[in-house]
Structure formats: structure tokens, C-alpha cells
Amino acid sequence: MKQDVGFSYLNELNGVQKDAVTALEGPVMVIAGPGSGKTRVLTYRIAHLINCGANPGQILALTFTNKAAKEMKARIERVVGNQANKVWAGTFHSLFARILRVEAHRIGYPNDFTIYDSDDSKGVIDDIIKSMNLDKKVYPAGQVRSRISAAKSNLITPKAYAANDDLMALDRMNRRPLIYQIYEKYAAKCIRAGAMDFDDLLLQMYKLLYQNPDNVREKYQRQFRFVMVDEFQDTNYLQYEIVKILAKYQNSEENICIVGDDAQSIYSFRGATIENILQFEHDFPQVRTYKLEQNYRSTNFIVNAANEVITYNKKQIQKKIFTEKEDGKRIKLIKAMTDSEEGKRVSDTIIEQKNRYNLANKDFAILYRTNSQSRIFEEQLRRYNIAYRIYGGLSFYSRKEIKDLVSYLRMVVNDKDDEALKRVINYPKRGIGNSTIEQISQIADDNEISMWQVLGQMEFTSRAAKNIAEFTGIIKACKAKAVTANAYDAAVFIAKASGILGELKSDTSLEGQGRLENVTSLLDGIKEFVEDDELAPGEEVATSKSLAAFLQTISLMTDQDKDGADQDTVTLMSVHSAKGLEFKSVFVVGLEENLFPSYQAMITADQIDEERRLFYVAITRAEEHLTLTYANSRYHFGNMRFNDPSRFIEEIDQKNYDPLTILNKKPDFGESSSSFGEPKLLGNFKTKTLNQPQINIDPKDFVPNRSEDIKVGQKVIHLKFGQGTVKSIDERMVASIVFPALNDNPEKRIMLQYAKLQIVEE
DNA sequence: GGGGGCTATGGGGGG
DNA sequence: CATAGCCCCC
């Protein structure tokens, strides 16, 4: 491909970035540290492709969030103008859904297929478990769903699952030997319902390409001559397999570019595997690799802290991010006595920083490990009158009233959608109770037909008969309306005919009015969707504005995709959803053992490593100010829990912390009860060193040795416990060390994997 | 059989 | 603290 060096945007890039952007053909791998201009490289590379003659419609750029795709498109547009609209940029799920909307009939699905969200999936699984007379305590739907999801992500069919000794042995060990049967029934039920779950959007896409009906594979291989994958470390096996197929075209070189950072791989729980990066080099031996290591986001103390933390992970691609920025502000550490005090002190600090550094609300983010932690901060921010916005948790489309109307719409588009039917057959109340619904479901199962078909064919003698007739009448009327009207008019008709609008209007409470507003706003959204005249690449005019297309689109939306990001609000979100974002001031909260790292991740070293990468992601969101907080005690399950401060706090070298805040750093749980029950005000300022041995080690002189070098009999120094003697080391690398300075309990069990110990005498 | 209210139980991260 | 399941009344 011809390259003209006269493109001005190339001057905005450093050397490595420019090399990556101009490497247009063949396989390319970009390892991009946080804040290293990854998005810039991706977007300029696409712009450069277009400027060098590539057809924008032949470029496929796969991301993990709609937001990332949207931002990418906007930035490409700034360089190449409206040609950017022709680029296939979107999430794996949304682009594959768009393709399947055209092609699904070739693999036994209706093109108007329904997308089951995880609640729908769980509902199906619950029904199956019930029908198999299994105990749902033994087979929790959520966990069964994860197993099925993992199987799908690894291209394991129900048959292959049953034949896989490892999987079956694991299930037997967990006393859930019948998961393979549930999986088989689940897959069959989804097909019968004309429904795909999130994994199916990938799996069915794979099947489409693999089975290649009507040479559809060549069609898309020809279509996508340039394939790009963002956040490649988050792809699972199935996604990578699809990408590989798409990137292949006859005998020409494969133009595939992946961008990722192994240190930011945080989605193994949904099947992402770091192996894909290693495998990529194997699959494409002629790959050119570029490492972006200069960080343009954060000041030096923050970058240092990130580097220090990540060295605790053994398995990493070697790289060290650096910045040419100033040292900046040191990291603040806040110790709170309780979770609500944590909320207060974070709010205080926000006010203080706003004043002192002239920051706006939107410059702040509070990042937590679990969404349930948001409540505390909400309460306090509201009390302080600080505007905030919560991401994650309940999204707009998971609200009850929205799901109710959406379920009616789903029924109208696809009457085989049993999950939707079950949701609305008795809402608003029309006297069709659980036992009747169970009956219908049973008959549908026995005859392998949909519940809607049962309603049409069965003679109901019970007194539910009249009510059922009412329901089928409503749905039929709505279906008739949908044939002639556009999606918006149909939806308004459905909202009225179903009785939903009437039901909500009769509720005059404040919450009731809110629900009505939400439904109105959903209808407005459909109107906007219908009136939007822009046709995305690959979309057919006839189907693009259909109700089915609308439903498929919204089922892949998260509340991050809502407008309103430009408002001046503090951002509250999980660390997971903060990936890719940056803020002037970041609070990483709840830094306690069993919370961050999560108690569910305390089992294997690999899981701890992933938590550490998550922490790495969290702290590298900060541009100028980073504050880490933890609480002595917090409410969990309605009762108080005490956790030690997170190990991650200690993994950052002391010199990066604000010394005024580090005085309070290490409380002494378990060994002293004096910290409980004290007045809250004192709690913040009381130094715990009184209860600890006086250890006079200047952190500057402390150089920890590698854990492998620690041997029995050595005298070592520990920053907190002082000098000690190593008594023993067991096979798990846990050392027993006696520290004479600790009076009551001098022998400590130290995990060498995490401990920092300096050898003073062999 | 259906509806409403009460009690017990269980909660990671996300497309 | 939200939801499912259970019990009791209609």
C-alpha cells in the first residue's frame, strides 16, 4: 500500500506510535501500557488506512464497549471526515448481532431473533432445573449459566461437554453432575424460542462462518480486508477463532492488528484468556510487535506506583511504563474507621481538592471493587451536595417497567420468546396465576413447542380461559398493528393496548410517576431510533428501523452508553467499567483484604494476580491525584465485618505516599482491639504505632531481596515487624519468622510471594 | 386457583 | 437490603 508521509496527524505521534500506525499490512501487535495513546494509535491507523486508499467499508474494528467504539468513530471522523461512518466499528456483540440480523436464517434462526439477557438465561435455566426435579440450592442458576457460558466461549457443544472427562469430573466433584444435561436442554430451548444469549452472538457467528452456508464465509472475508481488535487481552477463545477466520482471505496476507495490554487483563471470569496474546505470535509468526511504554496520562508518583504493584505478578510481558511528566502529587492514603466514615472522608477530600486545585466534579472518580459499595458514597455525596452519577448496577433497560414493556415488544416481534411471555402474561394483573403458567410451560416442553403455540391450540376449561383469551387478543392486535405501523407507532399502540400505560398512570406515587416517565422515555427512544436517518454499514433499509432491530440494539446497551457524560458530576463506578477512562483525581476505595482483593479470588495465585491487575487498572486511571482508602469495619450481610488493609497498599513503595497520610497506614487488627469503639473523630488521627514495636528503619535504606533468595536461618528485616530470624519455609513458600520486637506473638507466618524482606545476615 | 403479605436467605466483575 | 418462597385468605 502506498504511503504518503505528508499526513499531518503523523506528527502528533512518537516514534513507536508512528511505526504502529504506518504498519498497515500484515499481522501487527501493539502492546500498549495504560495512558500510552492506544486509542490515538488505533484511530490514526484507521484514518491512515483510509488515506492510503483502503475502502472504509472494508475495515472492521472490534471493541468491548459501545463507548470505546463511539469514541473511536468520532476521532476517525475528525481526521478523514464522514467516511468514518462507513467503518465497521463496534463491539463484538453488536457487530455480530448486526450481521446475524441479515444471515441468521441460514443457520436455523429467525433474522428477528430475540437476544436473551442474563436474567432471561437464568429464567430458562431455572425452569429446566425445576422440570428435572433438581434442587436449585445444588444447582444455582447463576453458576450453571457461567458453566454453560464458559463452555460456549470455548466452543464446547453439549455433546462435547458430556464427552469431556475433565469437565464432567469437575462437575461431579462439585456435586453437579447433570450440568451437561441442563446445557443440552438450554441450547435446545433457546433455538426453539428463536433466542440467542450473549454467548450465542459469538457462537452463532462462528457457526455461520464455519458451516459456511451459501459461501457466506467468503462474503465476510472479502468484506473485512483489515481487521483490528482493541483490548485483545480481554478476548476469549471463541472471539479469537472468529477473528482469525475473518482475517483470512484467499492467499493474500492477513491484515490483522491487535492492541492490548496483558497487565490490564481483568475479564478471565467471562472466559478471556491471556493465552490469546501468546497464541497470536504463534499463529502469525511474521507479526511485527510494537510496545507503547510512554505514559502521557499520569504524573510520576502514580506511574511509579503502578510499576511497583505490577512487579508482584510473575507472569507478565516485560515492559515498564514511564512518563516525562513531573513527579506530581504523592498518593494519599485514607484510613477510616467505618465504611460510612470512608464515604465522608472521600467527600471531604473532593471538596478540598475542588477548592485547592480548582477542579470540577467531572474531574473526580470513585472506583470500587463491587457495585454494592456505591450506596455509601451516594449517601455522603448527597449530604455534601456534590452532583454524582453512578454507572453500572441497575441500568435503564433492566428497570422493571422498561423490561415489562420491552417484553411485550419482544412478544410481538417473536412470539416464541417464552421468557417475555412469562413476564407479561399476567402483567398487568389479569388473573392468570402461577399454576396456570406452570401448566402451559409444561405442555410446551412436552411437545417442544412455544408457550404461545400452546395458548393457541389448547382448550382451557379453567376460569383462566377467559383471561387467556384476553391476553392472546391483545398480542394479536399488537402484532397486526406492527405489520403496518413503524416501530414507534407500534410501540405506542402496544403500551396502551397491553394496559401498561393505564397501570402506571393509576399509580400517583412519586415512584409511580418516575416509572411512567421511564416508559415515556423508552418510547421517545424508539422514536429517535426510527427517525435517525443514518444507516450503519451492512444494514438493510428494510430491516434497520424495525422493532426487532431496536430490541436487538437496546439489549446490548449498558448505561454507560447513555447521554449525559458531559454533565459536571462525580463518577462512581466499578474498577472494571473504568477501564479505558481517565480522571484528574481518582479515589480507589474499599482497599481491604477480602474486598479488594475479593474474598472469592483468594484461592489461587492466578486469581490474586488478576485482582492485582484490576488494582493496576484502577490506579492508572488517575492523571494527577490518586487517593487510596480503606475502612476498619464495614457492613456486609447486615453485620459488621473487620478486614485487614489490602496487601496492594503495601505493594506500593512508601516513598510514593504522602507522608502525612501514611502515618495512619497500618492498623493492627487482631492483635489489638483498642481501635474499636473509640470516638470516630479520634479514630482518624490516632496513630497505631503506639501498639506496634518501634522499628527504626528508613524506607530509603530498605532494599528487599527476591523471595527466592530467602532461606532458613537468615536474619531478615521486615518493614513493619523489624528484624527477625527465618525458622522454616514450607512448600507453599510460607515462612515462619520470629521477630523478637513483637512481644506477645513474635512468630509470624509470612507469604514470601508477597512479603518484602531484606536479608541482613546469611 | 389467584393474590397479598410475611419470612428466610443469599449477594463479584459484564456484554 | 432485595427477592423467592410460603402461608393464609378470598
Side-chain angles (χ1 to χ4, degrees):
Chain A
M1 191 170 282
K2 251 188 47 196
Q3 290 202 28
D4 188 333
V5 285
F7 297 117
S8 62
Y9 50 82
L10 294 180
N11 300 329
E12 294 172 37
L13 300 167
N14 70 28
V16 197
Q17 289 176 334
K18 196 188 287 182
D19 290 344
V21 164
T22 54
L24 297 182
E25 284 161 304
V28 171
M29 174 156 86
V30 181
I31 303 292
S36 63
K38 182 195 69 169
T39 311
R40 172 176 290 210
V41 165
L42 260 174
T43 54
Y44 283 7
R45 191 172 185 276
I46 293 171
H48 198 57
L49 274 168
I50 295 170
N51 282 335
C52 291
N55 174 350
Q58 291 189 331
I59 299 171
L60 175 68
L62 295 162
T63 66
F64 275 86
T65 64
N66 293 310
K67 199 176 174 220
K70 208 170 148 187
E71 193 188 332
M72 197 188 292
K73 275 192 251 183
R75 287 171 71 162
I76 302 166
E77 193 167 355
R78 263 180 259 156
V79 184
V80 300
N82 61 10
Q83 288 190 88
N85 299 329
K86 299 193 190 114
V87 175
W88 284 68
T91 64
F92 280 88
H93 292 88
S94 70
L95 291 184
F96 293 170
R98 193 194 293 169
I99 292 172
L100 287 165
R101 212 177 292 150
V102 179
E103 314 287 357
H105 63 277
R106 300 185 205 276
I107 50 167
Y109 276 91
N111 283 4
D112 282 350
F113 61 90
T114 298
I115 296 174
Y116 273 173
D117 66 18
S118 32
D119 286 341
D120 295 319
S121 299
K122 273 190 236 165
V124 175
I125 290 167
D126 261 333
D127 282 355
I128 293 168
I129 287 165
K130 224 179 277 169
S131 75
M132 290 170 69
N133 287 318
L134 297 173
D135 184 350
K136 57 184 210 178
K137 295 253 166 57
V138 182
Y139 287 89
Q143 287 180 40
V144 174
R145 193 190 77 96
S146 320
R147 294 284 290 162
I148 294 174
S149 171
K152 286 181 169 182
S153 305
N154 287 294
L155 278 174
I156 297 167
T157 61
K159 263 204 187 104
Y161 193 110
N164 185 311
D165 291 340
D166 291 342
L167 291 172
M168 295 299 281
L170 185 61
D171 285 345
R172 273 196 301 274
M173 203 176 77
N174 292 322
R175 312 250 172 255
R176 295 199 277 260
L178 296 179
I179 287 185
Y180 77 101
Q181 277 186 25
I182 302 172
Y183 179 18
E184 190 173 11
K185 285 172 196 282
Y186 173 75
K189 261 196 143 175
C190 286
I191 291 182
R192 228 189 299 147
M196 297 195 198
D197 64 18
F198 290 132
D199 301 307
D200 278 323
L201 294 174
L202 310 175
L203 183 61
Q204 304 308 329
M205 179 72 192
Y206 176 84
K207 276 193 187 160
L208 179 76
L209 297 171
Y210 184 79
Q211 296 174 357
N212 195 23
D214 314 313
N215 283 328
V216 73
R217 185 198 305 143
E218 285 73 16
K219 174 177 165 188
Y220 287 101
Q221 286 174 333
R222 199 178 325 113
Q223 169 85 49
F224 302 126
R225 301 292 296 113
F226 299 93
V227 176
M228 255 169 271
V229 185
D230 189 16
E231 308 278 13
F232 187 75
Q233 77 281 354
D234 292 335
T235 54
N236 60 36
Y237 176 75
L238 173 54
Q239 284 167 317
Y240 182 36
E241 289 303 305
I242 297 170
V243 165
K244 273 195 286 191
I245 296 176
L246 287 175
K248 235 183 183 62
Y249 179 56
Q250 294 177 354
N251 293 321
S252 64
E253 196 174 21
E254 288 150 312
N255 301 318
I256 176 167
C257 170
I258 62 156
V259 182
D261 179 6
D262 58 309
Q264 295 184 66
S265 155
I266 56 173
Y267 281 105
S268 71
F269 70 89
R270 65 178 196 212
T273 166
I274 203 75
E275 297 300 312
N276 282 350
I277 289 193
L278 308 172
Q279 192 60 37
F280 189 83
E281 296 182 287
H282 187 259
D283 291 337
F284 301 94
Q286 67 284 44
V287 62
R288 283 171 288 171
T289 301
Y290 303 94
K291 281 189 194 175
L292 309 181
E293 294 176 300
Q294 180 167 2
N295 177 300
Y296 295 96
R297 177 183 297 150
S298 314
T299 46
N300 205 21
F301 283 122
I302 296 168
V303 170
N304 283 346
N307 275 328
E308 284 160 16
V309 164
I310 207 66
T311 56
Y312 285 80
N313 280 12
K314 298 277 177 320
K315 288 185 260 175
Q316 294 294 326
I317 293 177
Q318 272 310 308
K319 87 178 148 320
K320 191 159 183 139
I321 57 169
F322 67 97
T323 178
E324 288 176 358
K325 289 197 176 206
E326 65 211 349
D327 277 351
K329 298 273 179 273
R330 283 189 163 80
I331 299 165
K332 265 173 122 68
L333 188 64
I334 293 181
K335 168 200 164 187
M337 294 308 288
T338 63
D339 45 6
S340 68
E341 191 200 310
E342 183 188 35
K344 272 195 207 101
R345 299 208 42 205
V346 167
S347 307
D348 278 336
T349 312
I350 289 176
I351 301 268
E352 185 205 320
Q353 291 188 352
K354 277 175 75 169
N355 291 331
R356 192 190 297 197
Y357 305 109
N358 197 26
L359 299 178
N361 288 336
K362 65 170 162 34
D363 295 324
F364 293 91
I366 301 172
L367 308 182
Y368 33 73
R369 178 65 181 83
T370 64
N371 283 312
S372 60
Q373 286 166 259
S374 69
R375 222 195 69 243
I376 303 276
F377 295 97
E378 273 181 88
E379 280 168 12
Q380 298 302 335
L381 290 170
R382 212 175 303 147
R383 190 168 296 172
Y384 279 69
N385 238 339
I386 303 172
Y388 63 89
R389 205 171 149 222
I390 300 180
Y391 295 79
L394 254 205
S395 91
F396 178 76
Y397 297 104
S398 48
R399 292 192 175 133
K400 184 193 173 298
E401 63 276 15
I402 299 301
K403 286 199 135 188
D404 290 335
L405 178 52
V406 164
S407 293
Y408 271 103
L409 304 180
R410 277 166 53 173
M411 270 307 289
V412 168
V413 168
N414 169 19
D415 59 34
K416 293 186 300 209
D417 184 344
D418 285 356
E419 290 307 298
L421 184 141
K422 274 189 284 186
R423 189 174 181 101
V424 296
I425 187 168
N426 198 33
Y427 179 83
K429 291 249 166 335
R430 48 177 76 90
I432 305 172
N434 282 333
S435 54
T436 305
I437 297 172
E438 292 270 295
Q439 241 178 26
I440 299 167
S441 175
Q442 186 65 50
I443 297 165
D445 268 357
D446 292 346
N447 296 282
E448 301 194 338
I449 56 176
S450 69
M451 291 172 74
W452 176 253
Q453 281 173 294
V454 175
L455 297 187
Q457 291 168 14
M458 277 277 297
E459 292 284 322
F460 287 92
T461 49
S462 63
R463 57 198 150 115
K466 184 173 78 58
N467 304 328
I468 286 172
E470 186 194 327
F471 175 69
T472 53
I474 291 169
I475 297 294
K476 279 180 186 157
C478 293
K479 278 165 159 296
K481 178 77 180 177
V483 173
T484 53
N486 70 29
Y488 173 67
D489 293 333
V492 172
F493 181 88
I494 294 164
K496 282 183 192 153
S498 63
I500 285 184
L501 275 185
E503 177 88 1
L504 289 176
K505 276 178 185 159
S506 68
D507 181 353
T508 52
S509 71
L510 205 62
E511 300 86 51
Q513 286 176 315
R515 282 191 281 273
L516 182 62
E517 266 172 46
N518 287 337
V519 165
T520 314
S521 129
L522 175 69
L523 292 171
D524 290 344
I526 301 178
K527 190 168 192 199
E528 210 174 297
F529 176 83
V530 170
E531 289 174 357
D532 180 7
D533 54 7
E534 202 182 316
L535 205 60
E539 275 186 344
E540 308 289 329
V541 180
T543 56
S544 66
K545 302 301 166 209
S546 69
L547 202 48
F550 177 78
L551 292 174
Q552 291 176 357
T553 307
I554 62 166
S555 57
L556 297 174
M557 283 209 209
T558 65
D559 62 348
Q560 283 206 41
D561 306 322
K562 270 197 314 236
D563 297 332
D566 47 344
Q567 285 166 9
D568 186 29
T569 54
V570 172
T571 297
L572 277 69
M573 56 170 50
S574 69
V575 181
H576 278 94
S577 43
K579 192 161 68 160
L581 306 180
E582 57 188 16
F583 303 89
K584 283 215 176 81
S585 179
V586 167
F587 295 80
V588 185
V589 301
L591 280 168
E592 294 137 43
E593 292 285 297
N594 297 316
L595 182 59
F596 197 175
S598 157
Y599 72 101
Q600 272 141 312
M602 303 288 245
I603 302 157
T604 69
D606 281 354
Q607 288 175 310
I608 294 280
D609 283 358
E610 175 144 326
E611 296 288 308
R612 188 174 287 107
R613 291 192 294 269
L614 194 55
F615 182 63
Y616 178 82
V617 167
I619 60 180
T620 52
R621 301 308 97 200
E623 295 172 355
E624 293 167 15
H625 306 277
L626 176 62
T627 309
L628 309 181
T629 76
Y630 62 96
N632 259 354
S633 66
R634 72 173 61 241
Y635 279 96
H636 193 240
F637 286 2
N639 44 44
M640 210 191 273
R641 291 272 294 270
F642 304 97
N643 288 317
D644 284 339
S646 171
R647 67 190 71 190
F648 300 146
I649 293 175
E650 287 207 313
E651 291 176 1
I652 294 175
D653 195 294
Q654 295 216 8
K655 70 178 188 295
N656 297 307
Y657 284 107
D658 180 345
L660 289 174
T661 65
I662 204 166
L663 279 178
N664 301 321
K665 193 180 124 196
K666 192 70 179 171
D668 202 1
F669 304 117
E671 287 156 34
S672 147
S673 57
S674 65
S675 52
F676 306 132
E678 289 172 1
K680 281 182 180 176
L681 248 177
L682 279 176
N684 298 336
F685 302 107
K686 187 173 160 61
T687 58
K688 301 301 298 176
T689 46
L690 289 178
N691 299 321
Q692 277 185 3
Q694 292 295 316
I695 313 261
N696 293 316
I697 305 166
D698 188 336
K700 279 203 288 293
D701 300 333
F702 184 77
V703 187
N705 288 80
R706 296 187 311 157
S707 59
E708 299 87 30
D709 296 338
I710 307 294
K711 295 277 155 13
V712 174
Q714 287 168 339
K715 282 200 167 32
V716 294
I717 292 181
H718 186 281
L719 259 190
K720 186 178 139 200
F721 304 131
Q723 186 165 319
T725 308
V726 182
K727 290 290 168 201
S728 67
I729 299 175
D730 72 12
E731 70 284 354
R732 293 167 310 163
M733 297 296 279
V734 176
S736 280
I737 305 177
V738 173
F739 297 100
L742 304 173
N743 296 325
D744 351 326
N745 194 7
E747 184 157 339
K748 292 275 171 201
R749 287 160 49 76
I750 305 283
M751 292 168 75
L752 293 180
Q753 198 185 348
Y754 304 115
K756 280 187 173 170
L757 294 167
Q758 181 176 353
I759 303 169
V760 288
E761 197 184 308
E762 293 291 329

